[in-house]
Amino acid sequence: MVRAGLTRERLIRAGAELADEVGFDKVTVSELARQFDVKVASLYSHLKNSQELKTGIALLALEELADRGAAALAGRAGKDALAAFANVYRDYAREHPGRYAAAQLRLDPETAAASAGVRHAQMTRAILRGYDLTEPDQTHAVRLLGSVFHGYVSLEMQGGFSHSAPDSQESWSRILDSLDATLRNWPAP
């Protein structure tokens, strides 16, 4: 018998919390069953397997990030919007390291198209419209921003900047200044 109160949504949220505690790569249906003190079979009426759990966590993380991004961008433009959006990613990764890792999960095309990842791309392009970039430069700039945000956040989370001065916040601020200058002076093809 399935324990009362277990739902797919509750299991995914618990999986997201578990990911933040132990790491996204260690989240499995078996581990989740231990958390709820139930047999693994009890969870299979809600989730097909660990991949479905991980996909659910990824979709949750993308939704949370998109909601935060939208709130941060409201009423902002230019460098202010760029910095606010970048800080959403950095802050989210610090607060929810497992969920942030989940947001990087490669989704099948249909799932990706229906996910909040689409909102992320729309928000990034909205920021870039403030820099008067058109295609294909806008797509190049989307890739640049994603690479810099994710690269910096990933290195920082792994302790890559903790061993020397200056403080990583100072570097982050200078990187955002550099991105803003690059976008304002985007080279012509």
Side-chain angles (χ1 to χ4, degrees):
M1 179 175 184
V2 176
R3 178 171 280 189
L6 290 183
T7 64
R8 185 177 189 283
E9 181 180 305
R10 184 171 178 214
L11 292 170
I12 288 171
R13 289 202 174 275
E17 291 171 17
L18 183 62
D20 289 337
E21 292 171 22
V22 302
F24 181 62
D25 58 327
K26 294 182 179 149
V27 174
T28 63
V29 172
S30 298
E31 187 58 37
L32 200 55
R34 277 192 280 282
Q35 294 281 315
F36 283 98
D37 195 28
V38 297
K39 294 182 190 270
V40 173
S42 299
L43 302 187
Y44 286 128
S45 61
H46 304 288
L47 298 164
K48 292 178 194 171
N49 52 37
S50 290
Q51 186 59 42
E52 184 178 344
L53 172 62
K54 288 188 172 199
T55 298
I57 296 167
L59 294 172
L60 173 66
L62 288 169
E63 189 72 35
E64 289 175 344
L65 269 167
D67 290 346
R68 285 184 181 201
L73 288 176
R76 294 189 165 137
K79 182 182 175 193
D80 190 34
L82 175 69
F85 196 60
N87 286 326
V88 163
Y89 283 88
R90 187 171 182 227
D91 293 344
Y92 189 81
R94 289 172 160 178
E95 292 170 33
H96 300 291
R99 293 178 205 204
Y100 180 78
Q104 311 312 311
L105 182 70
R106 185 178 183 143
L107 302 172
D108 67 79
E110 185 177 311
T111 303
S115 77
V118 173
R119 288 176 55 206
H120 293 260
Q122 291 169 338
M123 287 184 280
T124 305
R125 288 180 184 278
I127 292 166
L128 293 172
R129 280 194 297 276
Y131 291 97
D132 293 324
L133 295 180
T134 58
E135 287 301 341
D137 291 329
Q138 198 175 87
T139 296
H140 296 312
V142 166
R143 292 172 180 166
L144 170 68
L145 295 179
S147 298
V148 172
F149 297 166
H150 179 65
Y152 193 89
V153 166
S154 296
L155 289 169
E156 186 176 45
M157 287 176 57
Q158 294 170 7
F161 307 130
S162 62
H163 60 281
S164 63
D167 180 82
S168 66
Q169 178 58 44
E170 184 178 337
S171 297
W172 180 247
S173 296
R174 293 186 88 175
I175 287 167
L176 295 179
D177 289 343
S178 296
L179 285 172
D180 175 62
T182 298
L183 294 171
R184 279 188 285 109
N185 299 300
W186 193 266

